[in-house]
Amino acid sequence: MNRAVKTVFYDTDSAALSQLQEQVEQLPYFPELQHTPVFLGQETAEADLRQVLDEEPAAFTFMNPFRSGFSLKGLCDLLQHGEAGLFVHFTLQDLQVALKKAKTDETLGMLFGERLGQLKDFQKKNRNIERREEYLLDSFESILAEKGCYTFRFRINRPDKMQTGRYLVFASKVEQAYTRLKDIMTQYSDYQEDGVPLFGANLQHQQMSLFQEHYKYSIANLVQDLSRRATDYNNRTVQQVHEMHSIGTHYILENYKEAYEQLLRRGKVRFINPKTGQVISKPTYTSKIRYSA
């Protein structure tokens, strides 16, 4: 981490920024940092940040873009000019406050474009908190997708509340990075009873193992979808099907293995050893899938 991470601090209050810099420089491990933290004041912040990014292009950026116009401009710049992966963290309140400031701050319009008016109308007309929240997040992810990013979100609830406390939205223009990030975040996720990750923590979801039709992503739904996709997936391996099908879903590699095992028991598919060409009774991730006629 010491070799990889560089931090950038920004504050419109020059006195607060100076105080923060003094505190950081007094940290016991400060002399060991390989990348000295950058402190940006309001007057030259944009030019200074552009210079930092040009000198050392980021491979991955961790930021809250909705806390200030400066951060939001940074996000817009990265989406327009960079190929860096993004790890965007924010609360619903951060996003809602930014929307309210949109009249005086044109930066949000740079990001949301024509959607900005639609978002405001939806907020006014719909009083259901969950629907408003879902619409906001879907709109934000759609914008990232239009910029060429693969995206997924991770929700974190407070242990004693049902509403999401913080969102983490991952975005990358590299499919392999997107898939790897999803794999990493499954280690921290709550799971449904059927083994599909919910991509969230402390979600306090109801036990619905007998009512899996209520889940958007479930093994039952995956089995149905894969059974109809013989043209797409015949003679592919389980790993290949996962790579092709899982983008934009919650499904992980193990879910595909389980789904195909169910299709095997129904006589819908067979598994072939890719080296010998022989039929095998148990699938592996490299087994080829042969759909029955």
Side-chain angles (χ1 to χ4, degrees):
M1 293 294 287
N2 193 13
R3 291 194 302 271
V5 175
K6 183 166 189 173
T7 53
V8 179
F9 297 94
Y10 166 78
D11 201 315
T12 56
D13 186 333
S14 58
L17 187 67
S18 297
Q19 183 180 14
L20 175 64
Q21 184 170 357
E22 290 178 7
Q23 292 173 340
V24 169
E25 291 175 352
Q26 290 173 8
L27 293 171
Y29 51 81
F30 182 82
E32 301 173 15
L33 293 178
Q34 295 193 19
H35 301 281
T36 303
V38 176
F39 297 86
L40 303 180
Q42 186 173 17
E43 293 183 1
T44 61
E46 291 185 39
D48 291 343
L49 180 61
R50 182 72 266 162
Q51 182 177 351
V52 170
L53 294 175
D54 288 342
E55 289 177 354
E56 300 179 70
F60 203 63
T61 303
F62 179 81
M63 67 187 310
N64 182 341
F66 302 117
R67 279 294 180 91
S68 70
F70 172 72
S71 297
L72 194 55
K73 287 178 182 177
L75 173 62
C76 293
D77 189 69
L78 287 167
L79 289 173
Q80 185 174 357
H81 302 295
E83 297 295 321
L86 293 168
F87 184 171
V88 181
H89 68 99
F90 55 92
T91 66
L92 180 63
Q93 184 180 11
D94 291 335
L95 182 50
Q96 290 175 329
V97 169
L99 285 171
K100 289 180 180 178
K101 292 181 178 178
K103 288 184 179 180
T104 57
D105 188 345
E106 297 179 356
T107 312
L108 203 67
M110 294 169 54
L111 178 65
F112 283 97
E114 295 179 356
R115 279 195 179 90
L116 187 57
Q118 298 171 4
L119 285 170
K120 290 182 178 180
D121 289 341
F122 191 88
Q123 291 281 86
K124 291 178 181 178
K125 295 176 182 178
N126 199 312
R127 295 300 175 185
N128 184 292
I129 295 177
E130 292 183 357
R131 289 180 183 174
R132 291 169 64 178
E133 188 173 349
E134 191 74 13
Y135 187 78
L136 282 172
L137 269 294
D138 287 344
S139 298
F140 180 51
E141 283 196 81
S142 294
I143 288 166
L144 296 176
E146 289 169 5
K147 300 293 185 181
C149 296
Y150 299 95
T151 73
F152 72 94
R153 75 184 74 159
F154 192 95
R155 298 183 293 146
I156 302 175
N157 288 13
R158 296 182 184 278
D160 57 343
K161 294 185 180 295
M162 295 295 291
Q163 191 173 0
T164 302
R166 180 165 295 273
Y167 277 101
L168 309 177
V169 176
F170 298 81
S172 176
K173 295 182 180 180
V174 180
E175 184 178 330
Q176 186 177 5
Y178 158 84
T179 302
R180 180 64 184 129
L181 283 170
K182 279 183 68 176
D183 289 342
I184 290 172
M185 293 311 296
T186 58
Q187 302 172 45
Y188 305 95
S189 178
D190 294 349
Y191 280 74
Q192 295 168 185
E193 296 78 6
D194 61 356
V196 177
L198 289 162
F199 283 100
N202 300 327
L203 298 185
Q204 303 177 31
H205 64 290
Q206 296 177 352
Q207 297 296 309
M208 300 176 66
S209 57
L210 299 178
F211 306 99
Q212 291 187 17
E213 65 271 15
H214 292 286
Y215 287 133
K216 182 177 181 180
Y217 303 109
S218 68
I219 296 296
N221 290 341
L222 182 59
V223 168
Q224 288 185 0
D225 194 25
L226 294 179
S227 68
R228 298 190 293 260
R229 306 287 291 275
T231 303
D232 298 323
Y233 303 135
N234 192 46
N235 286 323
R236 304 276 189 181
T237 67
V238 176
Q239 175 75 46
Q240 288 171 332
V241 174
H242 165 252
E243 292 171 355
M244 296 169 66
H245 183 276
S246 66
I247 293 174
T249 76
H250 285 191
Y251 298 124
I252 57 176
L253 182 58
E254 186 61 30
N255 298 151
Y256 288 87
K257 185 168 174 285
E258 167 64 24
Y260 274 117
E261 285 178 343
Q262 291 192 24
L263 288 173
L264 173 66
R265 292 193 289 270
R266 299 178 189 180
K268 300 288 187 179
V269 298
R270 293 173 294 159
F271 298 109
I272 307 298
N273 185 312
K275 293 183 179 180
T276 65
Q278 300 296 312
V279 176
I280 55 178
S281 59
K282 276 285 187 181
T284 65
Y285 298 140
T286 57
S287 303
K288 283 194 173 182
I289 302 152
R290 189 74 49 80
Y291 281 77
S292 302

